[in-house]
Coordinates of all heavy atoms in Angstrom, one line a residue:
M1 N 216.4 31.7 123.5 CA 216.3 33.1 123.0 C 215.4 33.8 124.0 O 214.3 33.3 124.4 CB 215.7 33.1 121.6 CG 215.6 34.5 121.0 SD 215.3 34.3 119.3 CE 214.2 35.6 119.1
K2 N 215.8 35.1 124.4 CA 215.0 35.8 125.3 C 213.8 36.4 124.7 O 213.8 36.8 123.5 CB 215.9 37.0 125.9 CG 217.0 36.5 126.8 CD 217.7 37.7 127.4 CE 218.8 37.3 128.3 NZ 219.5 38.5 128.8
S3 N 212.8 36.6 125.4 CA 211.6 37.2 124.9 C 211.8 38.7 124.9 O 212.7 39.3 125.5 CB 210.4 36.9 125.7 OG 210.5 37.5 127.0
L4 N 210.9 39.4 124.1 CA 211.0 40.9 124.0 C 210.8 41.5 125.4 O 211.4 42.5 125.7 CB 210.0 41.3 123.0 CG 209.9 42.8 122.7 CD1 211.2 43.3 122.2 CD2 208.8 43.2 121.8
D5 N 209.9 40.9 126.2 CA 209.6 41.5 127.5 C 210.8 41.4 128.4 O 211.1 42.4 129.1 CB 208.4 40.7 128.1 CG 207.9 41.3 129.4 OD1 207.8 42.5 129.4 OD2 207.7 40.6 130.4
E6 N 211.5 40.3 128.4 CA 212.7 40.2 129.2 C 213.8 41.2 128.8 O 214.5 41.8 129.6 CB 213.3 38.8 129.1 CG 212.5 37.7 129.8 CD 213.0 36.3 129.5 OE1 214.2 36.2 129.1 OE2 212.3 35.4 129.7
N7 N 214.0 41.4 127.5 CA 214.9 42.4 127.0 C 214.6 43.8 127.4 O 215.5 44.6 127.7 CB 215.1 42.3 125.5 CG 215.8 41.1 125.0 OD1 216.7 40.6 125.7 ND2 215.5 40.6 123.8
L8 N 213.3 44.1 127.4 CA 212.9 45.5 127.8 C 213.1 45.7 129.3 O 213.4 46.8 129.7 CB 211.5 45.7 127.3 CG 211.2 45.9 125.8 CD1 209.8 46.0 125.5 CD2 212.0 47.1 125.3
K9 N 212.8 44.7 130.1 CA 213.0 44.8 131.5 C 214.4 44.9 131.9 O 214.7 45.6 132.9 CB 212.3 43.6 132.2 CG 210.8 43.7 132.2 CD 210.2 42.5 132.9 CE 208.7 42.5 132.9 NZ 208.1 41.3 133.5
N10 N 215.3 44.3 131.2 CA 216.7 44.3 131.6 C 217.5 45.4 131.0 O 218.7 45.6 131.2 CB 217.4 42.9 131.2 CG 216.8 41.8 131.9 OD1 216.4 41.9 133.0 ND2 216.8 40.6 131.3
R11 N 216.9 46.3 130.2 CA 217.5 47.4 129.6 C 217.9 48.5 130.6 O 217.1 48.9 131.3 CB 216.6 47.9 128.5 CG 217.3 48.9 127.6 CD 216.4 49.4 126.5 NE 217.1 50.3 125.7 CZ 217.2 50.2 124.4 NH1 216.5 49.3 123.8 NH2 217.8 51.1 123.7
D12 N 219.2 48.8 130.6 CA 219.7 49.9 131.5 C 219.6 51.2 130.8 O 220.2 51.5 129.8 CB 221.1 49.6 131.9 CG 221.6 50.5 133.0 OD1 220.8 51.2 133.6 OD2 222.8 50.5 133.2
V13 N 218.8 52.1 131.3 CA 218.5 53.4 130.7 C 219.8 54.3 130.8 O 220.1 55.1 129.9 CB 217.3 54.1 131.4 CG1 217.1 55.5 130.9 CG2 216.1 53.3 131.3
K14 N 220.6 54.1 131.8 CA 221.8 54.9 132.0 C 222.8 54.6 130.9 O 223.6 55.5 130.5 CB 222.4 54.7 133.3 CG 221.6 55.3 134.4 CD 222.3 55.2 135.8 CE 221.4 55.8 136.8 NZ 222.0 55.7 138.2
M15 N 222.7 53.5 130.3 CA 223.6 53.1 129.2 C 223.4 54.0 128.0 O 224.2 54.3 127.2 CB 223.5 51.6 128.8 CG 224.0 50.7 129.8 SD 225.7 50.8 130.1 CE 226.4 50.2 128.6
L16 N 222.1 54.5 127.8 CA 221.8 55.3 126.7 C 222.4 56.7 126.8 O 222.7 57.3 125.8 CB 220.2 55.5 126.6 CG 219.4 54.3 126.3 CD1 218.0 54.6 126.4 CD2 219.8 53.7 124.9
F17 N 222.7 57.2 128.0 CA 223.2 58.5 128.2 C 224.8 58.5 128.2 O 225.3 59.5 128.6 CB 222.7 59.1 129.5 CG 221.2 59.4 129.4 CD1 220.3 58.7 130.2 CD2 220.7 60.3 128.5 CE1 218.9 58.9 130.1 CE2 219.4 60.6 128.4 CZ 218.5 59.9 129.2
K18 N 225.4 57.4 127.8 CA 226.9 57.4 127.8 C 227.4 58.0 126.6 O 228.6 58.3 126.5 CB 227.4 56.0 128.0 CG 227.2 55.5 129.4 CD 228.0 54.3 129.7 CE 227.9 53.9 131.1 NZ 228.8 52.8 131.5
H19 N 226.6 58.2 125.6 CA 227.1 58.8 124.3 C 227.5 60.3 124.6 O 226.7 61.0 125.1 CB 226.1 58.7 123.2 CG 226.7 58.9 121.9 ND1 226.9 60.1 121.3 CD2 227.2 58.0 120.9 CE1 227.4 60.0 120.2 NE2 227.6 58.7 119.9
P20 N 228.6 60.7 124.1 CA 229.0 62.1 124.4 C 228.1 63.1 123.8 O 227.9 64.2 124.4 CB 230.4 62.2 123.7 CG 230.9 60.9 123.4 CD 229.7 60.0 123.4
R21 N 227.5 62.8 122.6 CA 226.5 63.8 122.0 C 225.3 64.0 123.0 O 224.9 65.2 123.1 CB 226.0 63.2 120.7 CG 225.1 64.2 120.0 CD 224.7 63.6 118.6 NE 224.4 64.7 117.7 CZ 225.2 65.4 117.0 NH1 226.5 65.1 116.9 NH2 224.8 66.4 116.2
L22 N 224.8 63.0 123.6 CA 223.7 63.2 124.5 C 224.1 63.9 125.7 O 223.3 64.7 126.3 CB 223.1 61.8 124.9 CG 222.5 61.0 123.8 CD1 222.0 59.6 124.2 CD2 221.3 61.8 123.2
K23 N 225.3 63.7 126.2 CA 225.7 64.5 127.4 C 225.9 66.0 127.1 O 225.5 66.8 127.8 CB 227.1 64.0 127.9 CG 227.0 62.6 128.5 CD 228.4 62.2 129.0 CE 228.4 60.8 129.6 NZ 229.7 60.4 130.0
I24 N 226.4 66.3 125.9 CA 226.5 67.7 125.5 C 225.2 68.3 125.2 O 224.9 69.5 125.7 CB 227.5 67.8 124.2 CG1 228.9 67.3 124.6 CG2 227.5 69.2 123.7 CD1 229.8 67.2 123.4
L25 N 224.3 67.6 124.6 CA 222.9 68.1 124.4 C 222.2 68.4 125.7 O 221.5 69.4 125.8 CB 222.1 67.1 123.6 CG 222.1 67.1 122.1 CD1 221.3 66.0 121.5 CD2 221.6 68.5 121.6
D26 N 222.4 67.5 126.7 CA 221.8 67.7 128.0 C 222.3 69.0 128.6 O 221.6 69.7 129.3 CB 222.0 66.5 128.9 CG 221.3 66.5 130.2 OD1 220.1 66.9 130.1 OD2 221.9 66.3 131.2
E27 N 223.6 69.2 128.5 CA 224.2 70.4 129.1 C 223.7 71.7 128.4 O 223.4 72.6 129.1 CB 225.8 70.3 129.0 CG 226.5 71.5 129.6 CD 226.4 71.5 131.1 OE1 226.0 70.5 131.7 OE2 226.6 72.6 131.7
F28 N 223.6 71.7 127.1 CA 223.1 72.8 126.3 C 221.6 73.1 126.8 O 221.3 74.2 127.1 CB 223.0 72.5 124.8 CG 224.3 72.8 124.1 CD1 224.8 71.9 123.2 CD2 225.1 73.9 124.3 CE1 226.0 72.1 122.6 CE2 226.2 74.2 123.7 CZ 226.7 73.2 122.8
H29 N 220.8 72.0 126.9 CA 219.4 72.1 127.3 C 219.3 72.7 128.7 O 218.5 73.6 128.9 CB 218.8 70.8 127.2 CG 217.4 70.7 127.5 ND1 216.9 70.2 128.7 CD2 216.2 71.2 126.9 CE1 215.6 70.3 128.8 NE2 215.2 70.9 127.7
R30 N 220.1 72.2 129.6 CA 220.1 72.6 131.0 C 220.5 74.1 131.1 O 219.8 74.9 131.8 CB 221.0 71.8 131.8 CG 220.8 71.9 133.3 CD 221.8 71.0 134.1 NE 223.2 71.3 133.8 CZ 223.9 72.3 134.2 NH1 223.3 73.2 135.0 NH2 225.1 72.5 133.9
R31 N 221.6 74.5 130.5 CA 222.1 75.9 130.6 C 221.2 76.9 129.9 O 220.9 78.0 130.5 CB 223.5 76.0 130.0 CG 224.5 75.1 130.7 CD 225.2 75.7 131.9 NE 225.8 76.9 131.7 CZ 227.1 77.1 131.5 NH1 227.9 76.1 131.3 NH2 227.6 78.4 131.3
I32 N 220.7 76.6 128.8 CA 219.8 77.5 128.0 C 218.5 77.7 128.8 O 218.0 78.8 129.0 CB 219.5 77.0 126.6 CG1 220.7 77.1 125.7 CG2 218.3 77.7 126.0 CD1 220.6 76.4 124.4
N33 N 217.9 76.6 129.3 CA 216.6 76.8 130.0 C 216.8 77.4 131.4 O 215.9 78.1 131.9 CB 215.9 75.4 130.2 CG 215.3 75.0 128.9 OD1 214.8 75.8 128.1 ND2 215.2 73.7 128.7
A34 N 218.0 77.3 132.0 CA 218.2 78.0 133.2 C 218.2 79.5 133.0 O 217.6 80.3 133.8 CB 219.6 77.6 133.8
E35 N 218.8 80.0 131.9 CA 218.7 81.4 131.6 C 217.3 81.9 131.2 O 216.9 82.9 131.6 CB 219.7 81.7 130.4 CG 221.1 81.8 130.8 CD 222.0 82.2 129.7 OE1 221.6 82.6 128.6 OE2 223.3 82.2 130.0
R36 N 216.6 81.0 130.5 CA 215.2 81.4 130.0 C 214.3 81.4 131.2 O 213.4 82.2 131.3 CB 214.7 80.4 129.0 CG 215.5 80.5 127.7 CD 215.0 79.4 126.7 NE 213.7 79.6 126.2 CZ 213.3 80.3 125.2 NH1 214.3 80.8 124.4 NH2 212.1 80.4 124.8
K37 N 214.5 80.6 132.2 CA 213.7 80.6 133.4 C 213.8 81.9 134.2 O 212.9 82.4 134.7 CB 214.0 79.4 134.3 CG 213.1 79.2 135.5 CD 213.4 78.0 136.3 CE 212.5 76.8 135.9 NZ 212.7 75.6 136.7
V38 N 215.1 82.3 134.3 CA 215.4 83.6 135.0 C 214.6 84.8 134.3 O 214.2 85.7 135.0 CB 216.9 83.9 135.1 CG1 217.2 85.3 135.5 CG2 217.5 82.8 136.0
L39 N 214.6 84.7 133.0 CA 213.9 85.8 132.2 C 212.4 85.6 132.0 O 211.8 86.3 131.2 CB 214.6 85.9 130.8 CG 216.1 86.3 130.9 CD1 216.7 86.2 129.4 CD2 216.3 87.6 131.4
D40 N 211.8 84.7 132.7 CA 210.4 84.3 132.6 C 210.0 84.0 131.2 O 208.9 84.4 130.7 CB 209.5 85.5 133.2 CG 209.7 85.6 134.7 OD1 209.9 84.6 135.3 OD2 209.5 86.8 135.2
M41 N 210.8 83.3 130.5 CA 210.5 82.8 129.2 C 210.1 81.3 129.2 O 210.5 80.6 130.1 CB 211.7 83.0 128.2 CG 212.1 84.5 128.0 SD 213.6 84.6 127.0 CE 213.0 84.1 125.4
K42 N 209.4 80.9 128.2 CA 209.0 79.5 128.1 C 210.3 78.6 127.9 O 211.1 79.0 127.1 CB 208.0 79.4 126.9 CG 207.5 78.0 126.7 CD 206.5 78.0 125.6 CE 206.1 76.6 125.2 NZ 205.2 76.5 124.0
E43 N 210.3 77.5 128.5 CA 211.4 76.6 128.4 C 211.5 76.0 127.0 O 210.4 75.7 126.4 CB 211.4 75.4 129.4 CG 211.7 75.9 130.8 CD 211.9 74.7 131.7 OE1 212.0 73.6 131.3 OE2 211.9 75.0 133.0
L44 N 212.7 75.8 126.5 CA 212.9 75.2 125.2 C 212.9 73.6 125.3 O 213.6 73.1 126.2 CB 214.2 75.7 124.6 CG 214.4 75.9 123.2 CD1 213.4 76.8 122.6 CD2 215.8 76.4 122.9
P45 N 212.2 72.9 124.5 CA 212.3 71.4 124.6 C 213.6 70.9 124.1 O 214.3 71.5 123.3 CB 211.2 70.9 123.7 CG 210.8 72.0 122.8 CD 211.3 73.3 123.5
M46 N 214.0 69.7 124.6 CA 215.3 69.1 124.2 C 215.4 68.9 122.7 O 216.4 69.1 122.1 CB 215.4 67.8 124.9 CG 216.7 67.0 124.5 SD 218.2 67.7 125.1 CE 218.4 66.8 126.6
R47 N 214.3 68.6 122.1 CA 214.3 68.3 120.6 C 214.6 69.6 119.9 O 215.2 69.5 118.8 CB 213.0 67.7 120.2 CG 211.8 68.6 120.2 CD 210.5 67.8 119.7 NE 209.4 68.6 120.0 CZ 208.6 68.5 121.0 NH1 208.9 67.6 121.9 NH2 207.6 69.3 121.2
A48 N 214.3 70.7 120.4 CA 214.6 72.0 119.7 C 216.1 72.2 119.7 O 216.7 72.6 118.7 CB 213.9 73.2 120.3
V49 N 216.8 71.9 120.8 CA 218.2 72.0 120.9 C 218.9 71.0 120.0 O 219.9 71.2 119.3 CB 218.7 71.9 122.3 CG1 220.2 72.0 122.4 CG2 218.1 73.0 123.2
A50 N 218.3 69.8 120.0 CA 218.9 68.7 119.1 C 218.8 69.0 117.6 O 219.7 68.7 116.9 CB 218.1 67.4 119.4
V51 N 217.6 69.6 117.2 CA 217.5 70.0 115.8 C 218.5 71.1 115.4 O 219.1 71.1 114.4 CB 216.0 70.4 115.5 CG1 215.9 71.1 114.2 CG2 215.1 69.2 115.6
K52 N 218.6 72.1 116.3 CA 219.6 73.2 116.1 C 221.0 72.7 115.9 O 221.8 73.3 115.1 CB 219.5 74.2 117.2 CG 218.3 75.0 117.2 CD 218.5 76.1 116.2 CE 217.4 77.2 116.4 NZ 217.4 78.1 115.3
T53 N 221.4 71.6 116.6 CA 222.8 71.1 116.6 C 222.9 69.8 115.8 O 224.0 69.2 115.8 CB 223.3 70.9 118.0 OG1 222.4 69.9 118.6 CG2 223.3 72.2 118.8
S54 N 221.9 69.4 115.0 CA 221.9 68.2 114.3 C 223.0 68.1 113.2 O 223.5 67.0 112.9 CB 220.6 67.9 113.7 OG 220.3 68.8 112.7
H55 N 223.4 69.2 112.7 CA 224.4 69.2 111.6 C 225.9 69.3 112.2 O 226.8 69.1 111.4 CB 224.2 70.5 110.7 CG 224.4 71.8 111.4 ND1 223.5 72.3 112.3 CD2 225.5 72.6 111.4 CE1 224.0 73.5 112.7 NE2 225.2 73.7 112.2
L56 N 226.0 69.4 113.5 CA 227.4 69.5 114.1 C 227.9 68.1 114.5 O 227.1 67.3 114.9 CB 227.3 70.4 115.3 CG 226.9 71.8 115.1 CD1 226.8 72.5 116.5 CD2 227.9 72.6 114.2
S57 N 229.2 68.0 114.4 CA 229.8 66.8 114.9 C 230.0 66.9 116.4 O 229.8 67.9 117.0 CB 231.2 66.6 114.2 OG 232.1 67.6 114.6
V58 N 230.4 65.8 117.0 CA 230.6 65.8 118.5 C 231.7 66.8 118.8 O 231.6 67.5 119.8 CB 230.9 64.4 119.0 CG1 231.2 64.4 120.5 CG2 229.7 63.5 118.7
Q59 N 232.8 66.8 118.0 CA 233.9 67.7 118.3 C 233.5 69.2 118.2 O 233.8 70.0 119.0 CB 235.1 67.4 117.4 CG 235.8 66.1 117.6 CD 235.0 65.0 116.9 OE1 234.2 65.2 116.1 NE2 235.4 63.8 117.3
D60 N 232.6 69.5 117.2 CA 232.1 70.8 117.0 C 231.2 71.2 118.2 O 231.2 72.4 118.6 CB 231.4 71.0 115.7 CG 232.3 70.9 114.5 OD1 233.5 71.1 114.7 OD2 231.8 70.6 113.4
M61 N 230.4 70.3 118.6 CA 229.5 70.6 119.8 C 230.3 70.8 121.0 O 230.0 71.7 121.8 CB 228.5 69.4 120.0 CG 227.5 69.3 118.9 SD 226.3 68.0 119.1 CE 225.5 68.4 120.6
A62 N 231.4 70.0 121.2 CA 232.2 70.2 122.4 C 232.9 71.6 122.3 O 233.0 72.3 123.4 CB 233.3 69.2 122.5
Y63 N 233.3 72.0 121.2 CA 233.9 73.4 121.0 C 232.9 74.5 121.3 O 233.2 75.4 122.0 CB 234.5 73.5 119.6 CG 234.9 75.0 119.3 CD1 236.1 75.5 119.8 CD2 234.1 75.8 118.5 CE1 236.5 76.8 119.6 CE2 234.5 77.1 118.2 CZ 235.7 77.6 118.8 OH 236.1 78.9 118.5
L64 N 231.7 74.3 120.8 CA 230.6 75.2 121.0 C 230.3 75.3 122.5 O 230.0 76.4 123.0 CB 229.4 74.9 120.1 CG 228.2 75.8 120.2 CD1 228.6 77.2 119.8 CD2 227.0 75.2 119.4
L65 N 230.2 74.2 123.1 CA 229.9 74.2 124.6 C 231.0 75.0 125.4 O 230.7 75.8 126.2 CB 229.8 72.8 125.1 CG 229.5 72.6 126.6 CD1 228.2 73.3 126.9 CD2 229.5 71.2 127.0
K66 N 232.2 74.8 125.0 CA 233.3 75.4 125.7 C 233.2 77.0 125.4 O 233.4 77.8 126.3 CB 234.7 74.9 125.2 CG 235.9 75.5 125.9 CD 237.1 74.9 125.4 CE 238.3 75.6 126.1 NZ 239.6 75.0 125.6
R67 N 233.0 77.3 124.2 CA 232.9 78.7 123.8 C 231.7 79.4 124.5 O 231.8 80.5 125.0 CB 232.7 78.8 122.3 CG 232.7 80.2 121.8 CD 232.7 80.2 120.3 NE 232.4 81.6 119.8 CZ 232.1 81.9 118.6 NH1 232.0 81.0 117.7 NH2 231.8 83.1 118.3
C68 N 230.6 78.7 124.5 CA 229.4 79.3 125.2 C 229.6 79.4 126.7 O 229.1 80.3 127.3 CB 228.2 78.5 124.9 SG 227.6 78.6 123.2
S69 N 230.3 78.4 127.3 CA 230.5 78.5 128.7 C 231.4 79.6 129.1 O 231.3 80.2 130.2 CB 231.2 77.2 129.2 OG 230.3 76.1 129.0
Q70 N 232.3 80.0 128.3 CA 233.2 81.2 128.5 C 232.5 82.5 128.3 O 233.0 83.5 128.7 CB 234.5 81.1 127.7 CG 235.3 79.9 128.0 CD 236.5 79.7 127.0 OE1 236.5 80.3 126.0 NE2 237.4 78.8 127.4
S71 N 231.4 82.5 127.6 CA 230.7 83.7 127.3 C 229.9 84.2 128.5 O 229.5 83.4 129.4 CB 229.7 83.5 126.1 OG 228.9 84.6 125.9
T72 N 229.6 85.5 128.6 CA 228.7 86.0 129.7 C 227.3 85.6 129.5 O 226.6 85.5 130.5 CB 228.9 87.5 129.8 OG1 228.5 88.1 128.5 CG2 230.3 87.9 130.2
N73 N 226.8 85.5 128.3 CA 225.4 85.1 128.0 C 225.5 83.8 127.2 O 225.7 83.8 126.0 CB 224.7 86.2 127.2 CG 223.3 86.0 127.1 OD1 222.8 84.9 127.1 ND2 222.5 87.1 127.0
F74 N 225.2 82.7 127.8 CA 225.3 81.4 127.2 C 224.3 81.3 126.0 O 224.7 80.8 124.9 CB 224.9 80.3 128.2 CG 225.2 78.9 127.8 CD1 226.4 78.3 128.0 CD2 224.2 78.2 127.1 CE1 226.7 77.0 127.6 CE2 224.5 76.9 126.7 CZ 225.7 76.3 126.9
S75 N 223.1 81.7 126.2 CA 222.1 81.5 125.1 C 222.4 82.3 123.9 O 222.3 81.9 122.8 CB 220.7 81.9 125.6 OG 220.3 81.0 126.7
R76 N 222.8 83.6 124.1 CA 223.1 84.5 123.0 C 224.3 83.9 122.2 O 224.3 83.9 121.0 CB 223.5 85.9 123.5 CG 223.7 86.8 122.4 CD 224.0 88.2 122.9 NE 222.7 88.7 123.3 CZ 222.5 89.9 123.9 NH1 223.6 90.7 124.1 NH2 221.3 90.3 124.2
C77 N 225.3 83.4 122.9 CA 226.5 82.8 122.2 C 226.1 81.6 121.5 O 226.5 81.4 120.3 CB 227.6 82.5 123.2 SG 229.0 81.8 122.5
F78 N 225.2 80.8 122.1 CA 224.8 79.5 121.4 C 224.0 79.8 120.1 O 224.4 79.3 119.1 CB 223.9 78.7 122.4 CG 223.2 77.5 121.8 CD1 224.0 76.3 121.6 CD2 221.9 77.5 121.4 CE1 223.4 75.2 121.1 CE2 221.3 76.3 120.8 CZ 222.1 75.2 120.7
F79 N 223.0 80.6 120.2 CA 222.1 80.9 119.0 C 222.9 81.7 118.0 O 222.7 81.6 116.8 CB 220.8 81.5 119.4 CG 219.9 80.6 120.1 CD1 219.7 80.7 121.5 CD2 219.3 79.5 119.4 CE1 218.8 79.8 122.1 CE2 218.5 78.6 120.1 CZ 218.2 78.8 121.4
G80 N 223.7 82.7 118.5 CA 224.5 83.5 117.6 C 225.5 82.7 116.8 O 225.8 83.0 115.6
S81 N 226.1 81.7 117.4 CA 227.1 80.9 116.8 C 226.5 80.0 115.7 O 227.2 79.6 114.8 CB 227.9 80.0 117.8 OG 228.6 80.8 118.7
L82 N 225.3 79.6 115.9 CA 224.6 78.7 114.9 C 224.0 79.4 113.7 O 223.6 78.8 112.8 CB 223.5 77.9 115.6 CG 224.0 76.9 116.7 CD1 222.9 76.3 117.4 CD2 224.9 75.9 116.0
K83 N 224.0 80.8 113.7 CA 223.5 81.5 112.6 C 224.4 81.4 111.4 O 225.6 81.3 111.5 CB 223.4 83.0 112.9 CG 222.2 83.3 113.8 CD 222.0 84.8 113.9 CE 220.8 85.1 114.7 NZ 220.6 86.6 114.9
V84 N 223.8 81.3 110.2 CA 224.5 81.2 109.0 C 224.5 82.5 108.3 O 223.4 83.1 108.1 CB 223.8 80.1 108.0 CG1 224.6 80.1 106.7 CG2 223.9 78.8 108.7
K85 N 225.6 83.0 107.9 CA 225.7 84.3 107.3 C 225.6 84.1 105.8 O 226.2 83.3 105.2 CB 227.1 85.0 107.6 CG 227.2 85.3 109.0 CD 228.6 86.0 109.3 CE 228.7 86.2 110.8 NZ 230.1 86.8 111.1
N86 N 224.7 84.9 105.2 CA 224.5 84.9 103.7 C 225.5 85.9 103.1 O 225.4 87.1 103.4 CB 223.1 85.2 103.3 CG 222.1 84.1 103.8 OD1 222.5 83.0 103.9 ND2 220.9 84.4 104.0
D87 N 226.3 85.4 102.2 CA 227.2 86.3 101.5 C 226.7 86.5 100.1 O 227.0 85.8 99.1 CB 228.6 85.7 101.4 CG 229.3 85.7 102.7 OD1 229.0 86.5 103.6 OD2 230.2 84.8 103.0
K88 N 225.8 87.6 99.9 CA 225.3 87.9 98.6 C 225.9 89.1 98.1 O 225.5 90.2 98.4 CB 223.8 88.1 98.7 CG 223.0 86.8 99.1 CD 221.5 87.1 99.1 CE 220.8 85.8 99.4 NZ 219.4 85.9 99.4
N89 N 227.0 88.9 97.3 CA 227.7 90.1 96.7 C 227.5 90.2 95.3 O 227.3 89.4 94.5 CB 229.2 90.0 97.0 CG 229.5 90.2 98.5 OD1 228.7 90.7 99.3 ND2 230.7 89.8 98.9

């Protein structure tokens, strides 16, 4: 049986980033912060983007990424699409 130290040393970090959800989160994070940097705004941490999209499936996140990429303002489309409308009639 391998020791814990051996398992930690042999762990490939790139294997963690093969999940599609992490790739999409990374793309959201990169694109949103690129726009924020241009506007001299504070960068958003990765966990903030992860919390905002935690209720979405991988397919929904892929759709949202495609929709935001086609928009002229990536951040506005991202945050606007995640808003929940209250129907109080």
Side-chain angles (χ1 to χ4, degrees):
M1 188 166 140
K2 291 184 179 179
S3 69
L4 182 61
D5 187 46
E6 289 176 19
N7 284 331
L8 289 174
K9 285 181 182 177
N10 294 333
R11 189 174 180 131
D12 187 14
V13 177
K14 291 185 180 182
M15 292 296 290
L16 296 174
F17 293 114
K18 286 194 175 187
H19 196 278
R21 182 176 205 89
L22 294 175
K23 288 181 182 179
I24 295 172
L25 272 175
D26 187 48
E27 183 66 21
F28 279 132
H29 181 253
R30 191 181 60 77
R31 300 272 306 263
I32 289 170
N33 282 332
E35 285 186 4
R36 291 176 69 92
K37 187 179 259 187
V38 169
L39 298 173
D40 291 331
M41 295 175 71
K42 184 179 171 186
E43 287 191 11
L44 212 58
M46 175 70 92
R47 67 180 173 265
V49 179
V51 167
K52 286 281 192 188
T53 59
S54 63
H55 65 284
L56 298 175
S57 67
V58 175
Q59 291 83 13
D60 290 340
M61 287 178 66
Y63 171 76
L64 181 62
L65 180 61
K66 182 178 179 182
R67 183 174 170 193
C68 292
S69 296
Q70 293 171 348
S71 174
T72 56
N73 190 333
F74 189 90
S75 297
R76 182 176 287 176
C77 181
F78 175 77
F79 290 108
S81 297
L82 293 176
K83 283 188 178 179
V84 177
K85 296 179 183 175
N86 292 334
D87 293 330
K88 292 184 179 180
N89 292 343

